[in-house]
Amino acid sequence: MSDLIHRLDTFISSKKLIKTNDNLLVTVSGGMDSMFLLTYLFNKNYKLAVAHCNFGLRGNESDGDEALVKSFCKTNQIKFHTKRFETETYSKANGISIQMAARDLRYQWFNELCEADLAFGETKIVTAHHKTDNAETILLNMVRGTGLKGLEGISPIFENKIRPLLCLTRDEIETLVKELKITYREDSSNKSDKYHRNRLRLNVLPELKKINPEFENTFQANAEIVRQADGFINHFIETIKNEILERKKNLITIEISKLLKWPEPRFVLFSILSEFGFNAPTVDDIFESLNALSGKQFFSSTHRLVIDRTLLIIEPLHHSPFQSYGVTPETKSIETPYHYWKFELLTSNFKFPISSNEGCFDFEKLNFPLTVRPWQQGDKIKPLGMHGHKKVSDILIDKKVSIPHKEKVWVVISENEIIWVGGLVVSEDYKITSATKQVLQIVLESI
């Protein structure tokens, strides 16, 4: 026993998991692993409190777990927090599994406890994950499909969470529990192979143990190698991003020719796009479509990617419809999605615009209020120097405006007539002439 405890002490020290003044919020289910963790930390005289989740999934059995943890805390004068959750209701409402629902609910509550309990101050959440849990997690990630990150398994420390027991296997914890005569509760659901993790635990791990009795240690060693390799690769991915990726406010572009110059460009692309929520199958589709016709689009839950000639263009998704904005002669400025508009009435010292982002119009020809809105299919304007009207959509094609930029094009309207396709085309009918006495100048700035 002393060797295992010494290993645990050394692991906590070497990984710098717990400092002298740390406050620990220990998550205790009442099972073997968490009761050992609680007993160990209490015997080491760490400053701690306990959080117990009652998910209400096993009736009286769940209540018995809570009673055990509460009794231990009362006997040893440890601050005890408990909460009952409507886990099944949350699971159905959010369309997720019971396990995921329980995970979401407990970590949300743990963080709330850390923030709310000011007496605790800076607090670390302590969980009882061990070396066998780590092997199960890596196996599950491999089966589900994962990048390198999923093969790293469980980290000893992540944000405000620490896992001191990652140096011990489940069998080693069981040995310590028997020797220390620690009371715990057996979760009957652990014997069911209804859940994926239990199926691995009951049917796969015993076979792996026959092949390699030290498989947990092997998995953990391999996970550490993967973690180091991932860090090394990410360093160079950042270098590649600096060369091929350009950020302009909310718009990100990747130059396709530069991407393809690097070894394993598909992997490079996945490493970049995963930041924007694109999964591996979608990235495969994108890579296979690099030579496709311009305009092909792909979506993650948060972003859209458009293949536009020589570029990949990535932008956040916008779910809310845009409204129109009214402009009176007194309006000095307005702010719309993507743009800031400035309006000025000029009567002297007028100079012709030198930038496409400036539009100048004969004030007396305008009918107020003007309307500023996104362009729509069917919109037409009589471009400067032309006698007939032209569709805005055709103008955007002629000027080779990319799809993401097309959706950021707005127009200014006077009495149902478009006077300006912002930043692109001024109307012939509203241009300034030698007879113009007053000029409305509109300056368009991107935000």
Side-chain angles (χ1 to χ4, degrees):
M1 179 180 75
S2 58
D3 289 342
L4 294 176
I5 295 295
H6 177 70
R7 188 201 302 169
L8 180 52
D9 293 339
T10 303
F11 182 76
I12 292 172
S13 175
S14 64
K15 298 295 183 181
K16 299 179 181 178
L17 299 184
I18 305 175
K19 298 175 184 177
T20 305
N21 294 322
D22 280 344
N23 300 301
L24 307 180
L25 180 65
V26 190
T27 63
V28 184
S29 67
M32 180 180 72
D33 308 329
S34 63
M35 288 304 294
F36 167 72
L37 174 65
L38 175 58
T39 303
Y40 168 82
L41 294 173
F42 174 74
N43 289 339
K44 290 291 180 179
N45 293 314
Y46 287 116
K47 293 186 291 183
L48 53 88
V50 166
H52 172 80
C53 300
N54 189 329
F55 295 110
L57 297 172
R58 294 177 289 114
N60 292 335
E61 192 175 329
S62 293
D63 296 337
D65 297 343
E66 180 179 329
L68 171 65
V69 180
K70 184 176 182 180
S71 174
F72 183 98
C73 292
K74 183 177 181 181
T75 300
N76 295 289
Q77 298 182 323
I78 299 171
K79 190 168 186 178
F80 175 68
H81 302 274
T82 187
K83 185 171 182 178
R84 184 180 293 269
F85 297 95
E86 298 295 332
T87 314
E88 290 184 347
T89 301
Y90 182 90
S91 169
K92 292 176 182 176
N94 291 275
I96 57 178
S97 68
I98 290 290
Q99 295 92 330
M100 287 302 299
R103 185 186 187 284
D104 288 352
L105 290 168
R106 66 175 176 263
Y107 279 114
Q108 180 180 337
W109 179 53
F110 296 158
N111 285 314
E112 287 172 0
L113 284 176
C114 291
E115 292 172 4
D117 196 339
L118 299 180
F120 247 11
E122 187 69 24
T123 304
K124 291 178 178 176
I125 298 170
V126 193
T127 68
H129 294 94
H130 46 67
K131 198 177 287 187
T132 311
D133 287 328
N134 195 26
E136 292 170 359
T137 297
I138 293 169
L139 280 170
L140 280 171
N141 288 342
M142 290 174 66
V143 171
R144 290 167 177 160
T146 181
L148 289 177
K149 187 61 66 177
L151 300 180
E152 293 179 15
I154 303 170
S155 175
I157 183 166
F158 179 70
E159 296 176 344
N160 63 337
K161 305 172 189 65
I162 60 172
R163 289 93 177 209
L165 301 188
L166 280 178
C167 61
L168 301 174
T169 67
R170 181 181 288 111
D171 289 345
E172 288 169 337
I173 292 172
E174 186 174 5
T175 297
L176 288 167
V177 165
K178 288 178 179 177
E179 292 185 8
L180 293 170
K181 298 180 180 178
I182 295 173
T183 302
Y184 66 91
R185 298 269 299 178
E186 187 67 54
D187 185 342
S188 62
S189 67
N190 287 338
K191 297 177 181 178
S192 167
D193 63 1
K194 174 182 176 182
Y195 304 119
H196 295 321
R197 186 176 288 271
N198 282 0
R199 206 171 303 160
L200 271 178
R201 184 177 300 159
L202 297 171
N203 303 319
V204 178
L205 297 194
E207 295 302 316
L208 290 177
K209 212 170 188 72
K210 292 176 185 177
I211 298 171
N212 177 6
E214 299 293 321
F215 81 94
E216 292 114 325
N217 294 329
T218 302
F219 270 61
Q220 192 134 317
N222 287 339
E224 181 58 33
I225 293 171
V226 171
R227 187 175 294 113
Q228 294 172 13
D230 194 34
F232 182 81
I233 290 168
N234 285 336
H235 172 78
F236 285 98
I237 290 294
E238 288 302 313
T239 302
I240 296 171
K241 284 166 67 174
N242 289 335
E243 178 178 326
I244 71 174
L245 186 146
E246 185 175 353
R247 295 178 186 267
K248 295 180 180 178
K249 301 188 184 300
N250 287 332
L251 203 67
I252 299 106
T253 62
I254 297 172
E255 197 166 332
I256 294 173
S257 61
K258 289 183 177 180
L259 167 69
L260 295 176
K261 285 183 356 185
W262 286 92
E264 303 299 337
R266 189 189 300 256
F267 176 78
V268 172
L269 186 62
F270 173 75
S271 299
I272 294 173
L273 295 185
S274 59
E275 175 187 343
F276 306 107
F278 292 94
N279 59 29
T282 303
V283 174
D284 284 342
D285 289 342
I286 294 169
F287 189 81
E288 295 297 331
S289 302
L290 291 182
N291 295 320
L293 291 176
S294 178
K296 193 164 186 180
Q297 303 182 60
F298 301 86
F299 295 88
S300 72
S301 60
T302 58
H303 287 75
R304 177 180 64 168
L305 180 146
V306 180
I307 299 177
D308 185 63
R309 300 179 182 87
T310 62
L311 298 175
L312 300 179
I313 302 174
I314 307 157
E315 65 172 352
L317 292 174
H318 296 281
H319 299 291
S320 57
F322 296 138
Q323 65 185 82
S324 61
Y325 297 77
V327 176
T328 69
E330 292 75 34
T331 301
K332 300 300 182 185
S333 65
I334 61 171
E335 184 175 321
T336 65
Y338 311 123
H339 303 115
Y340 182 72
W341 308 71
K342 293 190 289 188
F343 303 87
E344 186 174 2
L345 185 60
L346 305 174
T347 56
S348 62
N349 299 322
F350 170 72
K351 295 180 181 179
F352 280 91
I354 57 175
S355 167
S356 61
N357 286 338
E358 296 177 26
C360 293
F361 308 91
D362 191 319
F363 180 78
E364 292 182 357
K365 296 178 181 178
L366 301 173
N367 289 286
F368 288 88
L370 305 180
T371 300
V372 179
R373 63 161 172 79
W375 79 279
Q376 299 170 359
Q377 288 293 337
D379 280 347
K380 294 180 180 180
I381 186 173
K382 185 188 289 186
L384 194 64
M386 291 183 61
H387 296 295
H389 285 78
K390 188 170 184 177
K391 288 184 178 179
V392 173
S393 58
D394 291 338
I395 293 171
L396 299 181
I397 292 172
D398 292 345
K399 292 185 176 292
K400 298 182 178 179
V401 178
S402 68
I403 289 177
H405 279 102
K406 284 180 182 177
E407 295 177 0
K408 296 176 183 176
V409 172
W410 285 52
V411 295
V412 182
I413 300 171
S414 172
E415 201 174 37
N416 298 320
E417 287 286 332
I418 294 177
I419 67 170
W420 193 31
V421 180
L424 294 172
V425 176
V426 171
S427 169
E428 169 72 18
D429 291 339
Y430 296 85
K431 69 181 181 181
I432 55 176
T433 67
S434 58
T436 298
K437 296 177 181 179
Q438 290 182 301
V439 173
L440 178 67
Q441 182 187 57
I442 308 176
V443 178
L444 177 62
E445 298 177 356
S446 297
I447 57 175

